[in-house]
């Protein structure tokens, strides 16, 4: 898989966010119905997605100024 452009990267983060929210809701439902192990699995998966989305957003935020700075040095 090649490198994503800015639009694809942001779309992927939004998909991760939506998936994280759905897993949280699923986990709460399963917990209410006595399925603790399944709920914990959903919560753990949601937490991992949230961490990935946060890391992606941070990388996206810091990547842009660095590229602008490097570009200005070449001219």
């Amino acid at each position: 898989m090649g490198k994503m452009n800015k639009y694809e990267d942001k779309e992927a983060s939004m998909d991760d966010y939506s998936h994280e929210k759905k897993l949280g809701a699923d986990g709460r439902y399963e917990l209410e119905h006595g399925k603790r192990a399944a709920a914990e699995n959903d919560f753990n998966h949601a937490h991992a997605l949230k961490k990935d989305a946060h890391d992606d957003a941070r990388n996206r935020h810091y990547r842009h100024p660095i590229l602008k700075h490097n570009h200005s040095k070449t001219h």
Side-chain angles (χ1 to χ4, degrees):
M1 182 174 182
K3 188 173 180 165
M4 290 189 281
N5 66 33
K6 187 176 181 178
Y7 175 77
E8 292 168 332
D9 191 29
K10 185 133 182 135
E11 285 291 310
S13 286
M14 291 170 63
D15 289 345
D16 284 347
Y17 179 79
S18 296
H19 192 189
E20 173 207 340
K21 293 300 175 190
K22 182 184 181 315
L23 284 167
D26 290 350
R28 286 188 298 277
Y29 176 85
E30 289 167 342
L31 197 55
E32 289 172 2
H33 290 85
K35 298 178 182 177
R36 184 174 176 85
E40 286 180 6
N41 188 38
D42 285 342
F43 292 144
N44 288 340
H45 189 177
H47 180 73
L49 283 172
K50 184 174 188 173
K51 184 181 180 315
D52 287 347
H54 177 74
D55 290 345
D56 289 346
R58 185 176 32 181
N59 289 336
R60 193 170 40 253
H61 174 73
Y62 288 118
R63 181 172 60 213
H64 183 67
I66 292 169
L67 291 175
K68 275 177 76 173
H69 178 72
N70 286 341
H71 181 69
S72 67
K73 283 183 133 184
T74 61
H75 292 296

